[in-house]
Amino acid sequence: METQQDIDTLAAAIYRDKVLRARALTADQKIRDGIECFDLSCRLMADGIRHQFKLEDEVSVWKKVRERLDIVRRLEERGIYKPTAAA
């Protein structure tokens, strides 16, 4: 059975590996990964909206996605919502 120290050591090694892989990416790859991450986030948000509001109409689903993104943008502009700094 693994101890907490074993788990912590493994977690630190995984994190270190992820950081090294990210540092090795070119700027183009980082931008592409960011776009892919945003696209996935939007699709997951659309799935949640589709389920929450029982919507089948894609136009209505994506309208709600845009509305939610607008809310986040307005909160950021007012300084109410601030993303946390990367660890």
Side-chain angles (χ1 to χ4, degrees):
M1 183 168 207
E2 294 154 349
T3 67
Q4 185 62 44
Q5 185 177 6
D6 294 335
I7 294 169
D8 291 344
T9 301
L10 178 60
I14 291 170
Y15 177 75
R16 187 172 43 257
D17 186 55
K18 287 171 74 174
V19 168
L20 293 173
R21 282 195 319 255
R23 287 180 181 166
L25 294 175
T26 66
D28 289 347
Q29 290 170 319
K30 290 176 184 178
I31 291 170
R32 192 175 312 118
D33 286 353
I35 291 169
E36 288 175 7
C37 184
F38 179 74
D39 182 58
L40 175 61
S41 298
C42 288
R43 286 186 280 131
L44 291 171
M45 191 184 326
D47 289 344
I49 288 168
R50 193 176 292 108
H51 176 74
Q52 179 182 359
F53 295 101
K54 310 293 186 239
L55 295 173
E56 294 183 19
D57 174 32
E58 287 300 302
V59 172
S60 298
V61 170
W62 288 102
K63 182 179 178 192
K64 286 251 184 233
V65 169
R66 284 189 296 277
E67 288 172 3
R68 288 190 177 178
L69 291 172
D70 277 345
I71 290 168
V72 171
R73 182 186 47 78
R74 286 195 309 270
L75 291 173
E76 286 176 339
E77 288 173 353
R78 291 183 186 160
I80 296 171
Y81 167 77
K82 295 182 182 179
T84 59

